[in-house]
Amino acid sequence: MSLERLLLYIIAMAVTTYLVRMIPLAAIQKKITNQFFRSFLFYVPYAVLAAMVIPAVFSATNRLGSSAVGFAVAVILAYREMNIVTVACLSCAAALAVEMISVIL
């Protein structure tokens, strides 16, 4: 890939990202009063984060079982309102433990 083509792609993505964020900001000047739309906007970041993270969780290890165990541990700990660092570390440790046990057996 040539440098000119790469720079063109970067510029196109920068403009696209800018427009996606700027158009709603410029179009909506007053406070949003519609309760449905406000709740929709409130939950969008969580949905986008889940859509990005879930596929990576299940493809992070060699075995689906270890990924599922790590995911289950993360869900349980998050439900118990544990710190995010604790959730991440313990779910990774659980997935690693299952991965190591499966290699030994």
Side-chain angles (χ1 to χ4, degrees), residues 9-24:
Y9 290 154
I10 291 173
I11 291 169
M13 288 309 299
V15 168
T16 303
T17 303
Y18 178 76
L19 288 177
V20 165
R21 295 177 184 193
M22 210 49 210
I23 289 173

Side-chain angles (χ1 to χ4, degrees), residues 28-102:
I28 303 171
Q29 295 292 326
K30 58 183 178 177
K31 184 177 179 179
I32 299 170
T33 57
N34 185 333
Q35 191 66 26
F36 174 77
F37 193 63
R38 285 176 57 103
S39 66
F40 172 77
L41 291 176
F42 179 78
Y43 288 111
V44 164
Y46 300 111
V48 171
L49 181 63
M52 292 187 319
V53 169
I54 297 297
V57 165
F58 289 106
S59 64
T61 63
N62 291 333
R63 291 172 179 79
L64 183 63
S66 58
S67 295
V69 168
F71 179 72
V73 168
V75 168
I76 291 167
L77 294 176
Y79 183 73
R80 294 184 177 201
E81 298 179 359
M82 306 266 309
N83 184 338
I84 191 166
V85 175
T86 305
V87 171
C89 290
L90 291 178
S91 62
C92 288
L96 178 64
V98 171
E99 191 80 17
M100 291 177 75
I101 290 170
S102 64

